[in-house]
Every structure is written in structure tokens, then in C-alpha cells.
Amino acid sequence: MPKLKREDGGEAATDYVESLDRGLRLLQVFGTRPGAMTLSDIARASDLPRATARRILLTLQRGGFVTSDGKLFALTPQVLTLASSFLRSSQLVGVLQPVLDRVAERAREIASLAVLDGQEVVFIARGGPVRVFSGGLEIGYRLPAFCTSVGRAMLSQFSDAELRERLKSAPLQALTPQTVTDPRRLVAMIAADRNNGYSLVDREAEPHFRSISMPVRRYDDVIVAAINIGSHVDRISVDEMIARFLPLLQDAAASVRPQLL
């Protein structure tokens, strides 16, 4: 067991466990490319010594999270229990999932729930007009916050000064020809979203996709997530998105607010 450094007052200065951090980092490497990987590939991608990566992989294999044929390593379905634990324990998902399903049925498009994680958004739930999903963003999918409607809806909780500071450290890389990367324009656009109470992003994150999002507020008015409806540009115009989808999202966000603690 690692020893904890202590301050003069006797309190632990850090509870950091390096081996756990390395193990989690190594698990994330598998999501960077399809298929099984060699030990050398995993060590290189996780920036770990080969011997360290091997020990971690063998530990994960014993726990049932990794399988190997002696040369290649791959994740097992056991890894999904980590994500399902979050989904089962998340109040947001529990409260919003039936709401997303209703919104999706009425819109006849996929509705999604996302949270802010640093400079990115993570999609944690979605509903579809039917229970067999054939498209849309997968649960766990990440995108930059600055160029997505869910991201801008959540970023609207910050003041203009706070936004400027956040954008200084954000990798403002264009994902499509329409992506806005100028920090001054972004601050102005997010400020407009704040005033409007919603965000609409047109082909900035994906070339043929537009979406509209509402911030999700808990009982004390703090923004904790965002819900959105997205569509291919050939199916829904910007005006129709505002006319048809915005009222659905507004009603959905208002209905869950008293339930979120």
C-alpha cells in the first residue's frame, strides 16, 4: 500500500495512487484504435514502460477486463460494467432518459444528453423514435465543447471573462469548413446563446449535421447538462429546427428541473 504524504496538520496531502492512474490510462488506449493491440503498441500509446504495461495488462486480464492470445491484447465485455455502473448511479440519466425518449418520439429524431468534462462534452444518454438505434452519437462519445450546441449551451453558464480564460487553453481546431475558431467570435456567440436560452450550431462539428440544445438546470438554477436534437441538414432547416424542436427541449428541461438535486 502506498504511503501518503502528510502535511504538518496531519491531513493527507495526496491520496494519489499512481498504479491505478496508469491502469485507467492504459484502458483508455484501447479506444484510440479498432481491434486488438500488441504490448509494444499499448506501452507506446499509454506512454508507459513496456514492463509496466505488461504487469497492468496481466492484472486486468486476471480481473476479466482484458483478453490475450499471447501476442495481442483486447478488451472484454467486462469493461462495460464500468460504464453501466455510472449510468445506473447517475441521477441525470435516471431522470432524463424517459424524457429523452418522449422528446425523440415527438421530434422523430434522436435526442441526446451531454455533460461538460473540461474542454469537451461527453454524451451520456440518448433516446430515439424507435428503440433500435441506427445513427446518432454513441454514449460515451466526446466532442469539443466550443463547436457543439450542447457544449455552448453549457458554456453559457460562464461570464464573458470566464469564457475568454477557458478558450485560451482550449484547442480550437476546425472540424469542418464552418467551424468558428476565433475566440472573440466564440465569446460573442455563446453570450448570444446565453441571452436566447438555447444554442443552435450548424455544421460546425460535423459537415452535414446541425443541432439545437437547451441547458439542463437543477433546482438551484445551476447548469448541469444539456439536451439536444440533431438532424442531417437535408432533413431539417434551421428555421424548422427552432420552430419544431426548441419547444420540445424547453418543456423537457423545465419538467426535470425540480427533480435534479
Side-chain angles (χ1 to χ4, degrees), residues 5-227:
K5 297 178 181 178
R6 297 189 177 277
E7 298 174 341
D8 294 339
E11 296 292 329
T14 177
D15 292 335
Y16 175 71
V17 180
E18 185 177 18
S19 58
L20 177 59
D21 177 74
R22 288 178 168 182
L24 294 173
R25 188 177 359 138
L26 186 145
L27 278 175
Q28 292 176 312
V29 162
F30 284 97
T32 61
R33 66 184 71 179
M37 301 172 65
T38 66
L39 171 58
S40 297
D41 289 338
I42 294 169
R44 189 180 309 110
S46 58
D47 194 25
L48 292 172
R50 195 172 186 276
T52 301
R54 179 178 178 276
R55 289 195 301 271
I56 293 173
L57 285 167
L58 293 178
T59 301
L60 292 170
Q61 185 176 4
R62 179 173 294 184
F65 294 99
V66 167
T67 185
S68 175
D69 62 2
K71 180 180 179 181
L72 297 175
F73 293 86
L75 297 182
T76 72
Q78 178 76 5
V79 172
L80 295 176
T81 61
L82 300 176
S84 63
S85 295
F86 166 76
L87 295 176
R88 286 195 299 268
S89 65
S90 171
Q91 185 199 32
L92 277 172
V93 175
V95 171
L96 267 298
Q97 186 61 66
V99 177
L100 289 175
D101 292 338
R102 289 196 298 271
V103 168
E105 287 290 343
R106 293 171 184 171
R108 305 305 299 170
E109 298 285 351
I110 289 175
S112 301
L113 171 68
V115 293
L116 192 63
D117 185 21
Q119 301 286 7
E120 296 180 318
V121 294
V122 185
F123 291 84
I124 62 173
R126 68 176 184 168
V130 293
R131 294 306 295 179
V132 178
F133 297 130
S134 58
L137 299 173
E138 299 176 353
I139 293 175
Y141 194 77
R142 289 175 172 266
L143 282 171
F146 80 94
C147 63
T148 56
S149 65
V150 285
R152 290 181 187 170
M154 289 183 281
L155 289 173
S156 68
Q157 67 187 291
F158 301 109
S159 68
D160 289 0
E162 290 171 326
L163 285 172
R164 284 190 287 269
E165 285 301 312
R166 289 183 66 92
L167 292 174
K168 282 182 182 179
S169 59
L172 304 179
Q173 183 176 6
L175 301 185
T176 76
Q178 284 75 32
T179 306
V180 176
T181 59
D182 179 72
R184 287 175 295 182
R185 285 189 62 194
L186 286 169
V187 169
M189 295 170 76
I190 296 170
D193 291 342
R194 185 192 306 128
N195 292 331
N196 293 331
Y198 71 92
S199 177
L200 194 154
V201 171
D202 189 11
R203 295 169 295 168
E204 290 192 48
E206 297 185 34
H208 306 293
F209 190 81
R210 59 173 58 109
S211 68
I212 187 169
S213 296
M214 275 288 298
V216 174
R217 300 176 183 271
R218 67 188 187 197
Y219 75 99
D220 58 359
D221 205 37
V222 173
I223 294 175
V224 293
I227 50 176

